[in-house]
């Protein structure tokens, strides 16, 4: 009862308070005439693809206009008694302010050439945040085009090896170590997904995005308790009525947005549908595949006055994955000794993932220097994973006789075994959050704090087993107690058990209290500009439930950043950041390989240090000077209380025993700029090494030890036909240590998969573009469109064979065990239509 009273008291306090998050950029100032007198009634406005926003000066000539984030605009100053004037190239980011005091004259005047660059004046550069342009996200080509897809090529230290998945790992971390926020609300993903092709849609709707910031490590205390990275997404606030439509062979989306006449209410609604059949049917396995991935997402904003601001984000998602494999043949081996594997399937898989998410935020401006924000959110997921699949496999030789009717087929094939996989897994999870944040500005100091309560209620049933039969003999588990088995020479007297068997039912609750406080300061030393940030987080949690009684645990995470921009001819910034990063276990990290919950699993700890250099310069390309930026980061991670795991496709199985230490270090570099005038391209290169020591047995490669990484996004257009554009996305990653059975002792198997190589290309013809200076006639059918594009996408342009895992097959006659690659998608063509009005 005391706990209930305390909870009610906390909720009453929270509900009685309101808050504020990051501010949109603002341009402000005082407008005077030639006689230094203030001018009242000057119409100050900007207009771009999203619409027009305006304000009017008061009696003192003062104006204040909110601008879009990270988007270059022209601000106009208009008055009936004075000449029209403007300022070009105004580009600001979150929390930026720019003071501009124009003089209205009777002659014609236009103020040009003032550029407010986000990287020079925003906080992203000194905080180690990479800003991703929203327009590039929308046009990015790839099987899972969107925010995550572009992060994989642009984000420093990001790597992946599965184009069917939106998951990524950062600098030696796994998929569970990345924070994702939308409008300051933490986003969760389903628990049971084991294959990338089951994911369907990521949470983020690219057509609703206003800004994206990404950090690969060394991030501030205001971000939560994860080990590896932060993806911070802001949805935009509509300024006009608009619509966006996308359609392709992989699905489509429709986004509508608008605002009320008094501009107090605004809303965006987006609906998406995806069908992965085109991609899955390009794989080696013949299937009957019936996927349905769909979601509806909305954001509703209400601003009753200058002090209050309310916002609601809602999402309903339903992913149905129905899969019936029929037949597969994989050729492997060497040129001199090619081997074929044939698999005949019977059975099917039916998986469903339903998620419901809602978040309500309330912001209040107490004063010009004090702001508050309250966030309440709930996430509910209902998941089921049902399958019974029987696979009978045979090994044989490959017919290499060119011209033969059976060329490439399996000849002399002999059945060597069967495998039956069964699962009846159900999970129901409810996660609720209540969070309060505060922001204070005291001269050159900025103080931010927050407190958060989280309750996680998990109901989980796992029934999963695998039986392997090789030439009539049931294979015993590899980790079972030794039982003499000398068949067929002597009778076997031990029990018949499945090769793998997991059965558990868990009802678990996790209560968390967390908070943070941080201080930021920007000043100058001599002619050099410095930026400092210091803060800390505290996190307390306890795991309870049916037959579960965990102890209360607490961790404290101090973090700091220091950046300096020396006064020199070269535009350089140096940054040192790091601290202690703890990751208290989520439910999946508490469940061991047998499905049992271990409530006293400790938080994994990483001491992270990042040294970075940010160099902006101009390069002579094609006889013109163009802006470029080179970012270099060196990092080191020292990890303790590591919760080791096995990785199979995108499913992670933890051992839940904190029995290892690990480290990761590396170098990442990114060069971006205008290789082609008017376009944005970049190249990323990275080296990383990460190893773990389990029970003091020595250091071995971690499952995410991907040594070399290379990414390229190149955009171009035909000079004589500028409406014809090309987007090329290249990725190269060295192989992961995934070439061994998931149940094997990692110290025995250290086999790696082959390198991951992939190229995706998109060709589009722009029929209409709002930035096109050629005006369409009033009678043109294109006039209603702000943008209309038709394109061709080619996935896996060079048809590389990339493998995600191996299927392990045992030959009873030769006693050999073969690792058969499970290949990902081959070359696929798709048409795409994009329209905006």
């Amino acid at each position: 009862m005391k706990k209930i009273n305390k909870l009610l008291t906390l909720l009453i306090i929270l509900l009685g308070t309101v808050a504020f998050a990051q501010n949109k950029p603002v341009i402000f100032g005082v407008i005077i005439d030639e006689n230094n007198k203030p001018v009242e009634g000057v119409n100050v406005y900007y207009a771009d693809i999203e619409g027009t926003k305006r304000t009017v000066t008061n009696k003192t000539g003062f104006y204040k206009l909110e601008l879009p984030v990270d988007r270059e605009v022209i601000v106009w100053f208009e008055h009936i008694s004075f000449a029209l004037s403007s300022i070009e190239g105004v580009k600001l980011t979150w929390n930026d302010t720019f003071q501009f005091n124009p003089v209205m004259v009777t002659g014609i005047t236009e103020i040009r050439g003032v550029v407010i660059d986000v990287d020079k004046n925003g906080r992203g550069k000194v905080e180690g945040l990479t800003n991703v342009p929203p327009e590039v996200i929308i046009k990015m080509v790839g099987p899972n085009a969107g925010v995550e897809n572009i992060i994989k090529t642009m984000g420093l230290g990001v790597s992946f090896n599965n184009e069917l998945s939106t998951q990524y790992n950062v600098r030696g971390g796994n998929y569970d170590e990345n924070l994702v926020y939308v409008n300051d609300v933490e986003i969760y993903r389903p628990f049971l997904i084991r294959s990338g092709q089951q994911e369907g849609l990521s949470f983020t709707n690219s057509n609703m995005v206003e800004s994206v910031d990404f950090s690969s490590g060394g991030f501030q205390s205001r971000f939560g308790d994860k080990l590896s990275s932060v993806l911070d997404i802001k949805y935009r606030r509509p300024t006009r009525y608009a619509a966006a439509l996308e359609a392709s062979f992989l699905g489509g989306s429709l986004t509508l947005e608008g605002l009320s006449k008094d501009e107090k209410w605004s809303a965006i609604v987006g609906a998406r549908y995806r069908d992965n059949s085109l991609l899955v049917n390009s794989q080696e396995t013949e299937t009957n595949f019936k996927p349905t991935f769909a979601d509806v997402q909305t954001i509703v904003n209400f601003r009753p006055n200058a002090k209050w601001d309310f916002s609601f984000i809602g999402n309903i998602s339903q992913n149905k994955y129905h899969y019936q494999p029929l037949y597969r043949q994989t050729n492997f081996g060497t040129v001199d000794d090619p081997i074929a594997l044939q698999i005949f399937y019977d059975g099917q898989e039916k998986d469903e993932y339903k998620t419901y998410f809602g978040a309500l935020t309330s912001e209040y401006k107490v004063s010009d220097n004090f702001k508050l924000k309250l966030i309440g959110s709930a996430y509910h997921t209902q998941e089921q994973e049902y399958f019974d699949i029987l696979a009978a496999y045979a090994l044989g030789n490959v017919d290499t006789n060119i011209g033969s009717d059976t060329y490439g087929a399996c000849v002399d094939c002999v059945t060597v075994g069967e495998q039956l996989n069964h699962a009846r897994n159900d999970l129901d999870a409810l996660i609720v959050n209540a969070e309060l944040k505060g922001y204070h500005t005291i001269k050159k100091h900025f103080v931010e704090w927050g407190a958060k309560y989280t309750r996680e209620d998990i109901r989980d049933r796992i029934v999963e087993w695998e039986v392997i039969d090789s030439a009539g003999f049931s294979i015993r588990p590899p980790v079972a107690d030794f039982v003499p088995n000398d068949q067929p020479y002597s009778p076997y007297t031990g029990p018949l058990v499945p090769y793998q068997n997991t059965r558990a039912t868990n009802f678990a609750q996790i209560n968390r209290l967390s908070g943070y406080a941080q201080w930021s300061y920007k000043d100058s030393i001599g002619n050099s500009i410095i930026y400092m940030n210091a803060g800390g987080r505290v996190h307390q949690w306890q795991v309870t439930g049916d037959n579960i009684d965990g102890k209360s645990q607490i961790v404290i995470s101090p973090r700091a950043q220091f950046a300096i921009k020396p006064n020199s001819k070269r535009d350089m910034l140096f940054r040192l950041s790091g601290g202690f990063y703890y990751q208290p276990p989520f439910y999946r990290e508490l469940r061991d390989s047998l499905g049992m919950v271990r409530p006293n699993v400790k938080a994994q700890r990483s001491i992270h240090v990042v040294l970075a250099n940010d160099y902006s310069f101009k390069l002579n390309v094609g006889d013109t000077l163009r802006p470029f930026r080179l970012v270099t980061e060196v990092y080191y991670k020292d990890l303790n209380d590591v919760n080791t795991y096995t990785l199979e496709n995108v499913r992670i199985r933890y051992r839940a025993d904190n029995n290892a230490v690990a480290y990761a270090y590396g170098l990442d570099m990114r060069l971006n700029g205008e290789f082609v005038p008017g376009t944005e391209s970049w190249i990323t290169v990275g080296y990383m090494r990460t190893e773990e020591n389990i029970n003091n047995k020595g250091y071995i490669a971690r499952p995410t030890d991907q040594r070399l990484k290379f990414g390229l996004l190149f955009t171009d257009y035909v000079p004589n036909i500028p409406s014809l554009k090309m987007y090329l996305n290249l990725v190269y990653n060295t192989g992961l240590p995934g070439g061994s059975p998931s149940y094997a002792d990692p110290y025995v198997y250290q086999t790696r998969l082959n390198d991951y190589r992939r190229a995706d290309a998109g060709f589009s013809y722009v029929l209409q573009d709002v930035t096109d200076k050629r005006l369409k006639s009033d009678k043109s059918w294109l006039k209603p469109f702000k943008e209309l594009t038709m394109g061709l996408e080619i996935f896996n342009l060079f048809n590389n064979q990339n493998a995600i895992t191996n299927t392990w097959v045992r030959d009873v006659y030769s006693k050999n065990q073969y690792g058969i690659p499970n290949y990902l998608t081959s070359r696929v063509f798709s048409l795409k239509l994009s329209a905006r009005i």
Side-chain angles (χ1 to χ4, degrees):
M1 191 65 184
K2 291 183 178 179
K3 290 185 178 179
I4 296 176
N5 291 335
K6 289 181 180 179
L7 177 60
L8 290 176
T9 303
L10 175 63
L11 291 176
I12 291 172
I13 294 173
L14 292 176
L15 291 174
T17 319
V18 287
F20 181 82
Q22 290 177 307
N23 292 324
K24 282 192 174 182
V26 169
I27 184 172
F28 69 97
V30 176
I31 301 178
I32 58 176
D33 61 15
E34 294 170 293
N35 298 318
N36 292 326
K37 293 182 179 180
V39 182
E40 181 183 6
V42 178
N43 189 15
V44 183
Y45 65 94
Y46 76 88
D48 67 349
I49 187 173
E50 299 297 338
T52 303
K53 190 158 189 176
R54 62 183 70 241
T55 188
V56 178
T57 57
N58 59 18
K59 292 181 180 180
T60 64
F62 178 81
Y63 74 95
K64 182 178 180 182
L65 180 65
E66 188 176 83
L67 300 179
V69 179
D70 298 338
R71 196 162 65 242
E72 187 173 303
V73 296
I74 302 175
V75 180
W76 299 88
F77 303 88
E78 185 180 53
H79 193 281
I80 192 172
S81 301
F82 299 91
L84 178 68
S85 62
S86 67
I87 176 171
E88 281 190 355
V90 182
K91 185 180 180 184
L92 303 174
T93 191
W94 293 101
N95 295 314
D96 278 352
T97 58
F98 175 60
Q99 183 174 358
F100 181 66
N101 304 315
V103 178
M104 304 294 287
V105 296
T106 54
I108 299 176
T109 179
E110 186 173 358
I111 306 166
R112 295 184 175 271
V114 180
V115 178
I116 312 302
D117 192 293
V118 58
D119 288 326
K120 293 181 180 179
N121 297 277
R123 297 195 302 173
K125 198 173 186 179
V126 295
E127 292 182 3
L129 295 171
T130 300
N131 181 264
V132 184
E135 61 273 13
V136 179
I137 296 173
I138 295 174
K139 297 175 181 178
M140 184 72 169
V141 60
N144 277 299
V147 173
E148 294 86 357
N149 189 38
I150 201 168
I151 287 297
K152 293 173 181 179
T153 60
M154 187 178 188
L156 292 170
V158 180
S159 59
F160 73 107
N161 66 332
N162 187 352
E163 66 269 9
L164 293 172
S165 172
T166 59
Q167 304 305 315
Y168 51 89
N169 52 71
V170 180
R171 293 177 176 172
N174 65 34
Y175 304 134
D176 292 336
E177 297 179 9
N178 305 310
L179 285 163
V180 178
Y181 293 97
V182 173
N183 286 18
D184 288 340
V185 181
E186 186 172 356
I187 303 302
Y188 303 92
R189 64 187 181 94
F191 292 73
L192 296 183
I193 287 176
R194 68 173 66 202
S195 172
Q197 65 193 35
Q198 298 171 4
E199 291 183 24
L201 296 162
S202 71
F203 180 90
T204 308
N205 189 328
S206 300
N207 288 315
M208 299 171 65
V209 169
E210 180 174 69
S211 69
V212 176
D213 290 317
F214 180 77
S215 172
S216 300
F219 43 86
Q220 295 181 355
S221 300
R222 63 189 174 99
F223 297 116
D225 296 295
K226 294 286 187 179
L227 295 180
S228 295
S229 73
V230 171
L231 179 60
D232 190 20
I233 300 167
K234 303 296 180 185
Y235 280 175
R236 68 176 178 274
R237 182 184 296 269
T239 57
R240 57 182 289 272
Y241 290 98
L245 171 68
E246 289 186 1
S248 73
F249 289 164
L250 293 174
S253 68
L254 175 63
T255 307
L256 304 174
E257 59 184 275
L259 72 166
S260 61
K261 290 184 179 180
D262 59 7
E263 299 187 357
K264 292 183 178 181
W265 289 88
S266 63
I268 308 178
V269 178
R272 297 181 294 172
Y273 173 82
R274 183 174 176 85
D275 186 343
N276 274 347
S277 297
L278 182 68
L279 298 172
V280 175
N281 289 336
S282 71
Q283 296 178 301
E284 291 182 324
T285 304
E286 296 179 12
T287 66
N288 289 327
F289 183 59
K290 298 178 181 178
T292 303
F293 306 132
D295 83 336
V296 177
Q297 194 166 152
T298 185
I299 177 169
V300 180
N301 304 296
F302 175 53
R303 182 177 290 170
N305 51 53
K307 286 184 173 291
W308 287 85
D309 198 348
F310 299 90
S311 179
F312 171 78
I313 300 176
N315 181 77
I316 299 176
S317 174
Q318 178 174 279
N319 294 353
K320 292 185 177 181
Y321 179 81
H322 294 178
Y323 178 72
Q324 184 182 14
L326 301 174
Y327 171 77
R328 166 187 171 183
Q329 178 175 327
T330 301
N331 298 335
F332 64 103
T334 64
V335 176
D336 296 331
D337 185 22
I339 303 174
L341 169 71
Q342 282 185 329
I343 303 180
F344 299 89
Y345 295 96
D346 190 15
Q348 62 181 339
E349 178 176 356
K350 290 187 176 182
D351 303 334
E352 293 188 9
Y353 312 94
K354 298 178 182 178
T355 62
Y356 309 87
F357 173 81
L360 179 64
T361 64
S362 177
E363 303 178 358
Y364 183 67
K365 183 178 180 181
V366 181
S367 67
D368 290 340
N369 299 319
F370 178 33
K371 300 165 186 177
L372 292 168
K373 181 172 186 178
L374 177 68
I375 303 174
S377 67
Y379 173 82
H380 185 205
T381 179
Q382 295 174 314
E383 306 174 28
Q384 75 169 38
E385 186 181 43
Y386 293 175
F387 58 78
D388 288 283
I389 297 179
L390 175 65
Y393 48 91
L395 290 172
N397 299 318
V398 179
D399 186 354
T400 58
N401 185 15
I402 299 177
S404 171
D405 293 338
T406 58
Y407 175 73
C410 182
V411 295
D412 302 325
C413 289
V414 178
T415 301
V416 295
E418 293 182 344
Q419 178 176 315
L420 175 61
N421 285 283
H422 167 92
R424 293 293 185 270
N425 301 330
D426 293 278
L427 185 140
D428 189 301
L430 176 64
I431 304 172
V432 295
N433 296 278
E435 184 175 10
L436 176 67
K437 293 185 175 183
Y439 303 82
H440 305 263
T441 302
I442 308 171
K443 296 183 179 180
K444 296 181 180 180
H445 305 269
F446 182 70
V447 178
E448 181 179 345
W449 55 266
K452 182 178 181 180
Y453 169 75
T454 302
R455 179 175 174 84
E456 301 162 12
D457 194 339
I458 314 292
R459 301 187 177 190
D460 177 29
R461 184 196 70 172
I462 178 171
V463 178
E464 185 175 332
W465 49 259
E466 176 185 16
V467 174
I468 298 178
D469 176 274
S470 182
F473 298 96
S474 179
I475 306 297
R476 288 185 55 78
V479 294
D481 295 334
F482 177 76
V483 177
N485 185 359
D486 194 24
Q487 295 184 85
Y489 305 105
S490 60
Y492 172 69
T493 59
L496 294 176
V497 295
Y499 189 74
Q500 295 187 73
N501 187 17
T502 303
R503 294 174 181 267
T505 300
N506 302 312
F507 292 166
Q509 294 84 42
I510 308 174
N511 291 286
R512 303 180 188 273
L513 286 173
S514 61
Y516 75 94
Q518 67 176 41
W519 160 81
S520 301
Y521 178 74
K522 185 178 180 180
D523 203 350
S524 59
I525 299 179
N527 294 322
S528 298
I529 300 174
I530 63 167
Y531 173 86
M532 292 182 288
N533 173 274
R537 294 188 62 86
V538 60
H539 193 132
Q540 181 272 337
W541 76 98
Q542 185 173 14
V543 183
T544 59
D546 292 0
N547 299 317
I548 300 173
D549 186 17
K551 62 182 181 181
S552 176
Q553 300 185 61
I554 188 169
V555 292
I556 300 175
S557 309
R559 305 173 188 177
Q561 294 180 330
F562 176 80
I564 182 169
K565 188 179 186 305
N567 180 28
S568 65
K569 295 181 179 180
R570 298 183 184 275
D571 185 0
M572 281 192 175
L573 181 139
F574 297 90
R575 185 182 70 254
L576 177 65
S577 60
F580 286 71
Y581 294 82
Y582 283 93
Q583 181 164 317
F586 204 47
Y587 173 73
R588 191 154 68 166
E589 297 165 74
L590 296 170
R591 197 177 71 176
D592 63 16
S593 58
L594 298 179
M596 303 302 295
V597 171
R598 299 188 178 184
N600 294 322
V601 172
K602 298 178 182 178
Q604 300 182 85
R605 189 213 68 188
S606 172
I607 300 177
H608 197 176
V609 179
V610 181
L611 178 62
N613 172 258
D614 198 310
Y615 177 35
S616 299
F617 59 97
K618 290 186 176 181
L619 193 64
N620 195 339
V621 180
D623 298 327
T624 58
L625 286 175
R626 300 176 192 166
F628 286 86
R629 180 183 174 193
L630 176 64
V631 180
T632 305
E633 293 190 0
V634 180
Y635 61 90
Y636 180 82
K637 295 181 181 181
D638 178 74
L639 295 104
N640 236 319
D641 293 324
V642 174
N643 193 347
T644 57
Y645 59 90
T646 60
L647 181 62
E648 183 178 0
N649 206 305
V650 299
R651 182 172 70 167
I652 298 174
R653 281 186 168 179
Y654 291 92
R655 297 184 177 93
D657 48 16
N658 298 113
N659 65 338
V661 296
Y663 68 84
Y665 65 82
L667 167 69
D668 290 312
M669 303 178 70
R670 185 185 74 247
L671 175 67
N672 63 285
E674 294 187 10
F675 294 94
V676 176
T679 66
E680 180 80 3
S681 302
W682 56 76
I683 301 172
T684 59
V685 180
Y687 171 81
M688 188 267 299
R689 183 186 183 97
T690 180
E691 293 184 326
E692 61 189 10
N693 184 350
I694 306 174
N695 291 326
N696 293 320
K697 294 169 64 176
Y699 281 94
I700 57 173
R702 303 192 76 196
T704 53
D705 184 36
Q706 204 157 37
R707 297 294 173 85
L708 295 176
K709 292 164 285 186
F710 172 82
L712 168 68
L713 175 68
F714 183 72
T715 58
D716 199 359
Y717 58 86
V718 179
N720 296 329
I721 315 175
S723 296
L724 184 58
K725 302 180 184 297
M726 185 272 291
Y727 302 89
L728 180 63
N729 180 18
L730 295 175
V731 174
Y732 170 80
N733 295 324
T734 53
L736 286 169
S740 58
S742 60
Y743 52 79
D745 182 350
Y747 282 88
V748 176
Y749 286 89
Q750 278 291 289
T751 310
R752 289 180 179 264
L753 297 169
N754 291 332
D755 295 350
Y756 183 88
R757 299 164 296 165
R758 186 174 179 87
D760 298 315
F763 305 90
S764 62
Y765 185 78
V766 181
L767 298 172
Q768 173 73 301
D769 192 339
V770 71
T771 61
D772 195 343
K773 295 181 180 179
R774 297 170 297 173
L775 299 177
K776 307 296 181 183
S777 66
D778 293 339
K779 297 182 179 180
S780 172
W781 65 276
L782 294 172
K783 188 167 183 62
F785 295 96
K786 294 291 184 181
E787 179 183 326
L788 182 61
T789 304
M790 297 183 65
L792 169 68
E793 295 179 325
I794 307 176
F795 307 131
N796 199 355
L797 181 64
F798 302 115
N799 201 27
N800 294 314
Q801 285 190 315
N802 296 309
I804 181 63
T805 55
N806 284 335
T807 295
W808 292 87
V809 176
R810 301 155 190 82
D811 184 352
V812 71
Y813 299 104
S814 65
K815 308 297 183 182
N816 290 329
Q817 191 173 16
Y818 297 97
I820 316 301
N822 294 316
Y823 292 117
L824 292 164
T825 59
S826 58
R827 185 187 296 116
V828 173
F829 296 85
S830 178
L831 296 177
K832 185 176 182 180
L833 171 69
S834 300
R836 297 179 183 275
I837 58 176

